Amino acid sequence: MSYINIKTLGELKASGYKSLPVKDELRKNLIKQLQDKDAGFEGILGYDETVIPELQTAILSRHNILLLGLRGQAKTRIARLMVNLLDEYIPYVTGSEIFDDPLNPISWYAKHEILIHGDNTPVSWQHRSERYTEKLATPDVTVADLIGDVDPIKAATLKLTYNDERVIHFGLIPRAHRSIFVINELPDLQARIQVALFNMLQEKDIQIRGFKLRLPLDVQFVFTANPEDYTNRGSIVTPLKDRIESQILTHYPKTIAISRKITFQEARISPEQTQNIEADGLVKDLVEQVAFEARKSEYIDQKSGVSARLTISAYENLISTAERRMLVNREKSTVVRLSDLVGIIPAVTGKIELVYEGELEGPAKVANTLIGKAVKALFARYFPDPEKAKKSKSANPYLSITEWFTEGNTLDISDQLTAAQYKKELMKVDGLYDMVKKFHPKLSANQTLLLMEFVLHGLAEYSQLNKKFLDGGFGFSDMFDSLFNIDAEADEEDDFR
C-alpha cells in the first residue's frame, strides 16, 4: 500500500500505518531480503562468506556497528549501502528539524504542532536516500557539530530563556533522527568528543552546555576505523567501544579473481579506451599480483595496508600508457604490453607506505621490484620453471633464447615502439617465437607477442637474463655481461659523488 499521498496526521492514523524504530525497520527489510534470497549489498565483492553474514547478523540483532579494517576495504561503501534496507518513504511532521515521527513526536516543535492542529497536523514524506548522514572524524570536530549548541541569537529573537528547549540548535546526530549516522575514522575523533557520544548510544539523552534534555533519538550508528589509528593517531575510548555492540573485521580480496572483478568494477575506463585498446588477461592479472606482492613485501608497512585503490589506479594508468603510445604513433588501436607496466609505477608509489628499508631502496625501485615479483609469481602458470629446466637432463626450452643473449645481443623494448617495431624486435631473439608456440599453439598473434615479452621478463626474474629499467621500457642482455659491468657502474657513481 502506498502511503505517500497522505498529507495529515488524521489520514495517517486512519490508514493504519505503523512506524518502526530504525533498527527494527532495517531488521524487517533484511528478513524479507534474506527470505527472497536477494543478495543485497550490490558491488561489494569478496565478502559473501565473511563480512556480509556478520553484518546481517548485527542488523538482525539491532546493533550499532563498528567496521574495522585497513584502508581501501569498502567500509564506507558498505555503510552507504545499508540505506537500501530502509523503507522507501517514512512520514514526518512537516517543518520538524529532526524529522519527528507524527505518531511518536519527541521534539518541542512536533509536540506543539500536534497539540495545536491535532489530526490536521501537516505530514510530509522523507525518502530513504535522505536518511543517511556521514561525518568524517577530524581533529576540529566539536560537540556542537555532532550534538548541538545553545543559540543565543534564537533566544534573543524569540525572547526565550536558556531553560527553554527551543534555544537549542541541533547538531548532526539529532538531525539524523530515524536515520543511519556514520562516523568515518572514529579514532581520529578527540577523546572528549567520543565521550559526548556515550549518552546518545545508551541513555538516549543529550547534554549541551549544562542543558540536559531527554531526547530519545532513534539512530542506527555505524562507525569505521583503521587498526593502524589505534597506535598512530588515537584510539577508541574503551567505554565507547563497549557501547558499540558489533565489531566487524574487513579484509582485502583473498584471490586474484575477486581482486580483478573489483578493479574492473571501479576503474574508470572510457568506451573509446575499451574499444581501441586490447588488454589480455595476463596483464590484468599482473596488475592484481603487484598488490598481492605488496601486501607481503618487507619494504612496505603492512600495518598501513595496501589499498584496493592501488590496483584500480594502476589499471587505469596501464590502459592510459598504451593509449598514449597509440596516440603518439598515430595508430588506430593497440595492445597492452608488459613494457607498459612502467606506467603503473606512479599509481603504486602513491599508494604504499614504506618502512625504513623501503625508504633506503626508494619508492620507484620498490615498485619495480613488486612488478618483477608479480611476473615471477605468474610465470609458472604459462611456462616451465626455468631453474628446473636448466638442471633437467631433457632439452632446455629456453636454451636458444639465453644463448642468443650470450652471443652479445641485447634487446630494448620501449613503450614508444610501434606495433610493427615491437614485433620486429621480439622476432630477433632466436627461438623465442618457437618456444611460445610450442606451449601455446592456439593463441592469437597479439597474445603470442605478449607471451614472448613475458618470457624475457620471466627469465630475468629467474636470473637467466639481465633486465634493466629504461625510461619508458625495459632492456634485456646476457646475465654474465651485467656482472662484469657492475664494478664499472659503481666506479662511475663514485666519480659523481
Side-chain angles (χ1 to χ4, degrees):
M1 178 180 176
S2 177
Y3 293 101
I4 58 173
N5 293 323
I6 292 171
K7 301 297 180 187
T8 66
L9 177 57
E11 292 174 22
L12 187 67
K13 289 177 180 175
S15 71
Y17 177 86
K18 286 185 171 53
S19 58
L20 288 173
V22 64
K23 290 186 170 83
D24 287 322
E25 190 183 322
L26 289 164
R27 174 184 159 84
K28 175 196 72 175
N29 292 321
L30 176 60
I31 288 170
K32 185 176 186 305
Q33 191 180 82
L34 292 171
Q35 289 173 339
D36 293 345
K37 298 194 182 319
D38 183 357
F41 297 96
E42 297 298 325
I44 302 296
L45 303 172
Y47 285 167
D48 294 343
E49 296 177 0
T50 52
V51 175
I52 299 303
E54 291 177 4
L55 182 66
Q56 290 169 336
T57 300
I59 293 170
L60 290 172
S61 300
R62 305 178 188 86
H63 284 178
N64 294 307
I65 297 164
L66 170 63
L67 295 169
L68 184 65
L70 296 171
R71 56 185 175 174
Q73 292 185 350
K75 299 186 293 294
T76 304
R77 173 169 289 197
I78 289 170
R80 289 174 180 171
L81 287 173
M82 283 178 64
V83 170
N84 296 330
L85 290 173
L86 295 169
D87 289 344
E88 188 173 8
Y89 287 96
I90 60 165
Y92 68 94
V93 176
T94 303
S96 169
E97 283 184 275
I98 64 171
F99 301 99
D100 279 276
D101 180 355
L103 302 175
N104 185 27
I106 63 171
S107 73
W108 183 94
Y109 174 85
K111 290 175 181 175
H112 185 254
E113 285 290 293
I114 292 170
L115 182 65
I116 293 174
H117 301 291
D119 285 351
N120 292 322
T121 302
V123 169
S124 298
W125 293 83
Q126 185 183 28
H127 190 258
R128 61 182 164 214
S129 61
E130 299 171 322
R131 297 175 62 196
Y132 177 89
T133 305
E134 188 179 300
K135 180 63 179 170
L136 176 62
T138 53
D140 62 334
V141 173
T142 64
V143 173
D145 294 333
L146 293 180
I147 299 175
D149 205 346
V150 172
D151 186 346
I153 297 174
K154 188 186 284 188
T157 305
L158 299 176
K159 295 184 171 55
L160 300 170
T161 69
Y162 282 180
N163 291 325
D164 196 305
E165 179 185 334
R166 287 172 288 175
V167 303
I168 293 175
H169 173 77
F170 289 117
L172 286 170
I173 296 177
R175 290 172 187 272
H177 178 49
R178 305 170 72 205
S179 301
I180 297 169
F181 186 79
V182 178
I183 297 182
N184 277 323
E185 308 300 343
L186 181 60
D188 284 353
L189 206 62
Q190 292 181 55
R192 64 186 181 84
I193 311 299
Q194 292 184 37
V195 169
L197 297 174
F198 291 178
N199 281 28
M200 304 288 255
L201 285 165
Q202 198 77 44
E203 286 78 17
K204 304 291 185 188
D205 62 19
I206 63 173
Q207 296 177 19
I208 300 169
R209 295 189 183 278
F211 191 114
K212 184 175 179 181
L213 172 66
R214 181 73 180 165
L215 196 68
L217 292 170
D218 178 23
V219 181
Q220 168 69 58
F221 284 97
V222 181
F223 305 97
T224 74
N226 187 323
E228 177 202 9
D229 299 344
Y230 284 31
T231 53
N232 288 5
R233 290 182 291 188
S235 63
I236 302 175
V237 297
T238 307
L240 177 59
K241 202 174 179 189
D242 183 56
R243 285 168 164 81
I244 304 170
E245 297 95 338
S246 283
Q247 176 178 286
I248 298 170
L249 302 178
T250 58
H251 56 81
Y252 287 122
K254 295 184 177 179
T255 66
I256 282 184
I258 292 171
S259 189
R260 243 174 91 162
K261 285 181 182 177
I262 294 170
T263 299
F264 298 150
Q265 176 180 281
E266 302 300 325
R268 293 165 296 180
I269 306 298
S270 70
E272 293 84 3
Q273 288 176 318
T274 304
Q275 185 177 348
N276 299 329
I277 301 164
E278 179 186 331
D280 188 75
L282 169 59
V283 292
K284 293 174 180 176
D285 282 350
L286 280 170
V287 169
E288 305 304 330
Q289 189 65 39
V290 166
F292 277 75
E293 294 299 329
R295 288 175 191 139
K296 58 186 180 183
S297 171
E298 60 187 3
Y299 294 130
I300 293 170
D301 183 1
Q302 300 306 322
K303 290 179 182 176
S304 179
V306 178
S307 169
R309 299 182 191 99
L310 183 148
T311 52
I312 297 164
S313 299
Y315 185 65
E316 291 169 347
N317 269 12
L318 184 69
I319 297 297
S320 296
T321 302
E323 182 181 35
R324 179 181 175 276
R325 181 182 63 251
M326 179 185 75
L327 296 171
V328 168
N329 293 334
R330 299 191 176 184
E331 295 172 324
K332 291 184 178 178
S333 63
T334 193
V335 180
V336 176
R337 307 168 186 170
L338 264 75
S339 55
D340 294 328
L341 288 169
V342 169
I344 78 170
I345 290 173
V348 176
T349 56
K351 298 283 189 298
I352 55 177
E353 296 289 334
L354 301 178
V355 295
Y356 178 71
E357 291 81 0
E359 295 287 358
L360 292 178
E361 292 289 324
K365 190 171 180 182
V366 170
N368 283 324
T369 301
L370 294 175
I371 292 170
K373 287 188 174 182
V375 169
K376 189 172 183 178
L378 297 185
F379 194 75
R381 286 193 196 174
Y382 295 84
F383 299 104
D385 185 321
E387 289 178 350
K388 290 180 181 177
K390 193 175 182 179
K391 297 173 184 175
S392 174
K393 293 179 181 178
S394 58
N396 180 356
Y398 305 107
L399 187 60
S400 57
I401 300 169
T402 53
E403 283 184 345
W404 186 82
F405 286 99
T406 304
E407 291 167 4
N409 296 304
T410 60
L411 186 70
D412 291 347
I413 303 292
S414 163
D415 66 354
Q416 299 303 316
L417 297 177
T418 64
Q421 290 169 334
Y422 175 67
K423 181 178 180 180
K424 183 181 177 183
E425 288 296 307
L426 288 171
M427 295 301 278
K428 283 181 184 178
V429 183
D430 287 345
L432 183 56
Y433 177 81
D434 294 336
M435 185 263 175
V436 170
K437 274 299 180 185
K438 177 184 175 182
F439 290 99
H440 302 280
K442 297 181 181 179
L443 293 182
S444 68
N446 287 335
Q447 288 175 315
T448 300
L449 289 172
L450 179 67
L451 281 188
M452 287 168 71
E453 188 185 358
F454 185 50
V455 167
L456 298 178
H457 282 268
L459 289 174
E461 292 307 318
Y462 280 93
S463 302
Q464 297 195 18
L465 290 179
N466 176 54
K467 178 172 71 173
K468 61 180 177 180
F469 297 95
L470 309 172
D471 289 336
F474 299 92
F476 298 93
S477 60
D478 179 53
M479 194 68 200
F480 292 103
D481 181 52
S482 69
L483 292 175
F484 290 123
N485 289 333
I486 287 174
D487 292 337
E489 289 174 9
D491 290 341
E492 285 176 18
E493 287 179 12
D494 289 338
D495 291 341
F496 287 105
R497 285 176 186 165

